Amino acid sequence: MTTTDARLNAVQIEAVGDLVDTITTNPDAAATVWSASVRWDGAFRSSATVRGFEPIPSDEPAGLGGDDTAPNPVEQLLGALGNCLAVGYAANATVRGIAIDDLRIDLRGDLDLHTFLGLDPDGHAGFRSIDAEVHLRTDAEPDAVAALHAAVAATSPVGHTLQRPIPLDIRPVDQEGPSR
Amino acid sequence: MTTTDARLNAVQIEAVGDLVDTITTNPDAAATVWSASVRWDGAFRSSATVRGFEPIPSDEPAGLGGDDTAPNPVEQLLGALGNCLAVGYAANATVRGIAIDDLRIDLRGDLDLHTFLGLDPDGHAGFRSIDAEVHLRTDAEPDAVAALHAAVAATSPVGHTLQRPIPLDIRPVDQEGPSR
């Protein structure tokens, strides 16, 4: 039984269980810090490095002045949300004993360019709203699937970050000029 | 002069100028829609596809039950913010005639795992706050650099998306089960 559970959706659910046990006995263990480092590569190109992984490249479409070599930052944001929801479905389905046969999440967000382009200085430069269409294929009962959808929406780190106002501290440090 | 301006920071600033002209005469042209499609790849692995670009892979560290093959979604979110700020610096510096010699942005965010793990169902699963340390190397005057920092913070699409509560519609569509 343990072996079967451990393989549902290919998720190593014991690791999640161990973490839950750890945090239950030591709540401070739930405090995590995540980081990324971005390097500007010229024009509108840049790349984000996380731990030892391949940098995530970024660019803008030609219509926005870029060289169109990679997804742009707002598309990456949608991707991060979708990837986060995918983890949420895998984790919550597994603890509920639901097998996922297939899962695809299509994300869309609408954004008005006036503020980004400096044409509406006090406006909102970001997404006005974001839609995520969840295409889930499973044999589970409809009630169980509905509860799964609710659990994922209620626990998504990226989803909650977007739905709440997050304090953002953009801080220039050690301004290193003049360079010559 | 046009040629020189066009090459500052390698940015094709005419494209941005053209877009500003277009939107000034036709404000509706500022309404843009962005999208991404995420496919679950088993366990906590997934990938986000944007237009025709290489999918952005996603996974979780082993301690969170993943196979640790890629940055996780909250790290991707930090990367998206940093990439967005990099575009903002490149664009705003270029229109102000500021040459950027080097730019690196280090991002950190703290996140409590209780809600993600279902241990605090009504809590906040996302980042509590996010810090972005901007390491900018330029010969520009301090006042011009200070104005540049302010302009970037005031116009960042990802930054604004994080700082404001964004309506998120997570919608199951055409539940495709049973599969057999």
Side-chain angles (χ1 to χ4, degrees), chain A residues 89 103-106 131-136 142 145-150 153, chain B residues 169-176:
Chain A
Y89 278 97
L103 173 63
R104 192 185 85 237
I105 303 167
D106 293 332
D131 288 348
E133 284 191 352
V134 180
H135 301 256
L136 174 67
V145 173
L148 171 60
H149 285 301
Chain B
D169 183 13
I170 304 174
R171 191 170 58 252
V173 289
D174 59 21
Q175 200 222 307
E176 297 145 340

Side-chain angles (χ1 to χ4, degrees), chain A:
Chain A
M1 184 66 183
T2 301
T3 305
T4 306
D5 284 350
R7 287 181 184 178
L8 184 60
N9 299 317
V11 171
Q12 298 170 35
I13 203 64
E14 309 93 330
V16 179
D18 290 348
L19 182 60
V20 167
D21 291 345
T22 301
I23 288 173
T24 302
T25 54
N26 175 18
D28 290 347
T32 59
V33 178
W34 304 88
S35 61
S37 183
V38 165
R39 174 157 290 282
W40 177 62
D41 297 321
F44 289 168
R45 281 173 283 108
S46 60
S47 50
T49 299
V50 170
R51 294 180 273 148
F53 297 112
E54 277 291 297
I56 302 168
S58 183
D59 200 348
E60 293 288 350
L64 285 177
D67 298 305
D68 204 20
T69 62
N72 84 352
V74 298
E75 291 168 325
Q76 293 161 39
L77 180 71
L78 296 177
L81 172 59
N83 285 327
C84 189
L85 295 174
V87 175
Y89 278 97
N92 285 282
T94 302
V95 297
R96 287 154 194 263
I98 296 174
I100 298 173
D101 292 330
D102 192 52
L103 173 63
R104 192 185 85 237
I105 303 167
D106 293 332
L107 306 111
R108 286 165 55 95
D110 60 308
L111 187 154
D112 186 291
L113 293 175
H114 278 95
T115 298
F116 174 63
L117 295 172
L119 299 173
D120 178 15
D122 296 324
H124 170 34
F127 281 121
R128 203 157 302 267
S129 64
I130 297 175
D131 288 348
E133 284 191 352
V134 180
H135 301 256
L136 174 67
R137 187 183 292 270
T138 175
D139 287 345
E141 294 299 321
D143 285 358
V145 173
L148 171 60
H149 285 301
V152 173
T155 57
S156 168
V158 175
H160 280 194
T161 299
L162 294 170
Q163 288 173 302
R164 287 163 174 73
I166 306 300
L168 194 60
D169 183 13
I170 305 174
R171 192 171 56 252
V173 289
D174 59 20
Q175 201 223 306
E176 297 145 342
S179 58
R180 52 183 179 271

